[in-house]
Amino acid sequence: MINSDDRKLVGQSVYEQLRSDIVTGKLSPGEKLKLNALRIRYSASVNTLRETLMRLVSDGFVLFVDQKGFSVKPVSTADLRELLELRQMLELSAVRKSMENKAGQMEWKSALISAHFRLNCIEKLMMEDEGSHVQAWEKADRDFHVTMVSHCGSQQLIRYHASVIELYMRYQVLALHRRPFRGQASVEEHQKLLKHLLDDETESVLTILDSHIQKGLFLPDAEKIPLKVKSKAIA
Amino acid sequence: MINSDDRKLVGQSVYEQLRSDIVTGKLSPGEKLKLNALRIRYSASVNTLRETLMRLVSDGFVLFVDQKGFSVKPVSTADLRELLELRQMLELSAVRKSMENKAGQMEWKSALISAHFRLNCIEKLMMEDEGSHVQAWEKADRDFHVTMVSHCGSQQLIRYHASVIELYMRYQVLALHRRPFRGQASVEEHQKLLKHLLDDETESVLTILDSHIQKGLFLPDAEKIPLKVKSKAIA
DNA sequence: AATCATAAAAAATTCTAAAGGCCTTTTATT
DNA sequence: AATAAAAGGCCTTTAGAATTTTTTATGATT
């Protein structure tokens, strides 16, 4: 149900599984990633795993220390705040560019409508049946925002934004296991965003987007964020 | 003479060599990276090389296609412009934060002075004897700019800025093989930057920095930038 | 009890060798 | 000339073993 294509290379599929397990918290923040345990859990050889983990290190999901191996990147409120701020900087700038880029607006807007439709469907589901759609919602929400910036004309900006939003969404997913979905408010914001995007009302979009991103922020009461730090068995 | 620490892991050292060879153009933009050839050239096994190359893929220096292997990321004026713009966005924002962050200013300014001194030394050398110091200058210039943003308080911002500036410096190094060093002008800009940094004159710093980054831009006449595209033997 | 040294166990790093798969090119056939 | 079959090259992945390093356990010393 998650993995459709069997022709996918081992490396690619392990990469996706590992990243997904980190984002959803199946691998806890801070947890040590021992190669032998992973070898069994993901049915891949040590070499393939190292290759994959190194990618995740560069992506910011995994830490690596010489001779001591890998561990899941810990979470912290400071890190979340930093990512939020970066996301705002990159996403606002990229959305502005997307809107100012007049060529190919029709295709872009059509993609926006399509992404928004999918997001809307899943948000409705989320309001009835919370937990079971978290992952689908994460993907749909990310897709919508990625589509918004996709027309900005800068591949590098798109790349860095994608990287930041992926790290950011990890916090969203982890948080959704401990607090309810924002629900109607979020749905309305997405609705408004789409409307103003289609109507070329740049400033409205940027204003709403700015606060939309801000409101997604979930700072746990104390410093509770290190959700689980004890290393649990992984094999 | 380049590698001091022999205890360094093979993977780490190969990573640095490979990246350096890409930045300096010893590996040409677009060049196919065949594992067997690399295995000989870098005295490392296929596994170690794949591990390393995957890191460079995530870092943006190498391309990877399933079943077709790796190749050096091509260069283009569009890519350079994108990186320039990203660098400006991130660096200006981070330097402002660094200057507004009042804690530990003494240590920061001391690091700035130290980095500037090294840069100044090398820039003097550069004006006499061009070619032989390109790499040292690249490092010193990058160090100075990295130090400027190092006090901004956001590890993530620092990380993304470092990533962008490394990709950007590749163009600087490649360009320095075809056009003279900017010389006195650059020296004076760095001098002014330091002065205003030490005097807490934020707006002056940002103004100078903005144009300083812009002036570093070298856009070849036509679309000549693909410096060398033919794949030369690498073993 | 705290500290240090030492030995044993666990984990990481890396390489070789080899099987199997995909892609491209060459060759052969219609 | 078009298409099919075969060949060769390169990528992908695994397994196993040799080294080195880190961690843990144990025991001796202060």
Side-chain angles (χ1 to χ4, degrees):
Chain A
M1 150 185 170
I2 289 179
N3 235 330
S4 53
D5 201 348
D6 244 2
R7 275 182 308 183
K8 206 173 288 178
L9 299 180
V10 176
Q12 190 58 31
S13 119
V14 170
Y15 174 79
E16 281 158 25
Q17 273 183 255
L18 254 169
R19 194 174 60 173
S20 160
D21 287 352
I22 291 172
V23 168
T24 60
K26 276 179 212 160
L27 294 170
S28 308
E31 179 172 341
K32 186 92 208 302
L33 295 171
K34 292 188 201 161
L35 290 171
N36 267 306
L38 298 181
R39 197 167 57 72
I40 296 161
R41 173 162 173 166
Y42 295 97
S43 320
S45 71
V46 171
N47 295 300
T48 304
L49 281 167
R50 287 186 60 94
E51 196 178 306
T52 297
L53 288 167
M54 277 303 187
R55 265 171 97 179
L56 291 166
V57 168
S58 275
D59 291 345
F61 285 107
V62 167
L63 291 183
F64 171 72
V65 183
D66 270 5
Q67 310 285 24
K68 298 224 226 154
F70 304 87
S71 58
V72 179
K73 174 109 203 280
V75 290
S76 72
T77 53
D79 188 54
L80 173 52
R81 278 205 205 85
E82 294 176 14
L83 290 171
L84 174 85
E85 195 167 357
L86 266 169
R87 181 181 162 186
Q88 272 177 332
M89 187 183 339
L90 297 177
E91 191 161 323
L92 292 176
S93 157
V95 167
R96 179 187 289 282
K97 282 171 188 286
S98 286
M99 297 186 75
E100 285 166 355
N101 179 5
K102 289 310 173 194
Q105 286 264 322
M106 191 181 71
E107 287 73 16
W108 178 50
K109 287 180 178 175
S110 128
L112 281 171
I113 292 169
S114 149
H116 179 268
F117 174 77
R118 293 196 302 279
L119 175 56
N120 196 244
C121 287
I122 291 173
E123 290 198 317
K124 276 178 193 155
L125 290 175
M126 281 287 281
M127 288 198 286
E128 295 166 15
D129 179 8
E130 278 286 319
S132 56
H133 304 289
V134 174
Q135 271 197 77
W137 174 81
E138 185 270 333
K139 178 166 166 34
D141 187 46
R142 183 152 50 83
D143 275 356
F144 181 62
H145 287 274
V146 163
T147 305
M148 277 202 286
V149 309
S150 68
H151 198 239
C152 72
S154 167
Q155 295 309 307
Q156 293 285 4
L157 180 49
I158 289 170
R159 192 172 79 90
Y160 282 104
H161 172 263
S163 167
V164 170
I165 204 173
E166 278 171 22
L167 292 176
Y168 179 83
M169 291 310 273
R170 180 185 176 207
Y171 285 93
Q172 297 269 308
V173 172
L174 292 178
L176 274 175
H177 293 313
R178 359 174 53 224
R179 66 111 151 81
F181 175 53
R182 279 208 297 133
Q184 194 58 36
S186 174
V187 173
E188 276 166 22
E189 281 162 30
H190 285 137
Q191 197 85 55
K192 272 194 218 159
L193 276 175
L194 181 66
K195 176 180 179 307
H196 292 300
L197 281 162
L198 297 180
D199 292 349
D200 299 303
E201 291 157 1
T202 308
E203 299 314 319
S204 307
V205 169
L206 297 181
T207 307
I208 297 168
L209 185 54
D210 190 63
S211 89
H212 173 71
I213 295 176
Q214 196 79 51
K215 283 182 200 156
L217 181 66
F218 170 68
L219 285 177
D221 317 318
E223 251 341 79
K224 263 192 292 185
I225 264 212
L227 304 181
K228 328 168 197 169
V229 215
K230 61 207 75 158
S231 79
K232 75 179 176 195
I234 63 171
Chain B
M1 143 185 169
I2 288 178
N3 233 329
S4 53
D5 201 348
D6 245 0
R7 274 183 308 181
K8 208 175 286 182
L9 299 181
V10 176
Q12 190 57 31
S13 119
V14 170
Y15 173 80
E16 281 158 24
Q17 275 183 252
L18 254 169
R19 194 174 60 173
S20 161
D21 286 351
I22 291 172
V23 167
T24 61
K26 277 180 213 159
L27 294 170
S28 308
E31 178 172 342
K32 186 87 209 304
L33 295 170
K34 291 186 202 168
L35 290 170
N36 268 307
L38 298 180
R39 201 166 55 72
I40 297 160
R41 174 163 172 165
Y42 295 97
S43 320
S45 71
V46 172
N47 297 303
T48 305
L49 281 167
R50 287 185 59 95
E51 195 178 305
T52 296
L53 288 166
M54 277 302 185
R55 263 170 99 178
L56 290 166
V57 169
S58 276
D59 291 345
F61 286 106
V62 167
L63 291 184
F64 171 72
V65 183
D66 271 4
Q67 308 288 10
K68 297 220 218 154
F70 303 88
S71 57
V72 179
K73 174 112 206 272
V75 291
S76 72
T77 54
D79 188 54
L80 172 52
R81 278 204 205 86
E82 294 176 13
L83 290 171
L84 175 85
E85 195 167 358
L86 265 170
R87 181 180 163 188
Q88 271 177 332
M89 189 185 336
L90 297 177
E91 191 161 323
L92 292 177
S93 156
V95 168
R96 179 187 290 281
K97 282 170 187 288
S98 287
M99 297 185 75
E100 285 168 356
N101 178 5
K102 289 310 172 193
Q105 286 263 323
M106 192 181 71
E107 287 74 16
W108 179 50
K109 287 180 179 177
S110 130
L112 281 171
I113 292 170
S114 150
H116 179 268
F117 174 78
R118 294 196 302 279
L119 175 57
N120 195 244
C121 286
I122 292 173
E123 289 198 319
K124 276 178 194 156
L125 290 175
M126 281 288 281
M127 289 198 286
E128 296 167 14
D129 178 8
E130 277 287 320
S132 56
H133 303 289
V134 174
Q135 271 197 74
W137 173 80
E138 185 270 331
K139 178 165 167 33
D141 187 45
R142 184 153 50 83
D143 274 356
F144 181 62
H145 286 274
V146 163
T147 304
M148 276 203 286
V149 309
S150 69
H151 198 240
C152 71
S154 167
Q155 295 310 307
Q156 292 286 4
L157 180 49
I158 289 171
R159 192 172 79 91
Y160 281 105
H161 172 264
S163 167
V164 169
I165 204 172
E166 277 171 23
L167 292 176
Y168 178 84
M169 291 310 273
R170 180 186 176 207
Y171 285 92
Q172 296 270 309
V173 172
L174 292 178
L176 275 175
H177 293 314
R178 2 172 52 224
R179 66 112 152 80
F181 175 53
R182 279 207 299 132
Q184 195 60 37
S186 174
V187 173
E188 276 167 21
E189 282 162 29
H190 284 137
Q191 198 85 55
K192 273 195 219 160
L193 276 175
L194 180 67
K195 175 179 179 306
H196 292 301
L197 280 163
L198 297 181
D199 293 348
D200 298 304
E201 292 158 0
T202 308
E203 299 313 320
S204 306
V205 169
L206 296 182
T207 307
I208 297 168
L209 185 54
D210 189 62
S211 89
H212 173 71
I213 296 177
Q214 196 79 52
K215 284 182 200 156
L217 181 68
F218 170 69
L219 285 178
D221 317 320
E223 251 340 82
K224 264 192 292 186
I225 264 214
L227 305 179
K228 326 168 198 169
V229 216
K230 61 208 75 155
S231 78
K232 74 182 176 191
I234 62 172

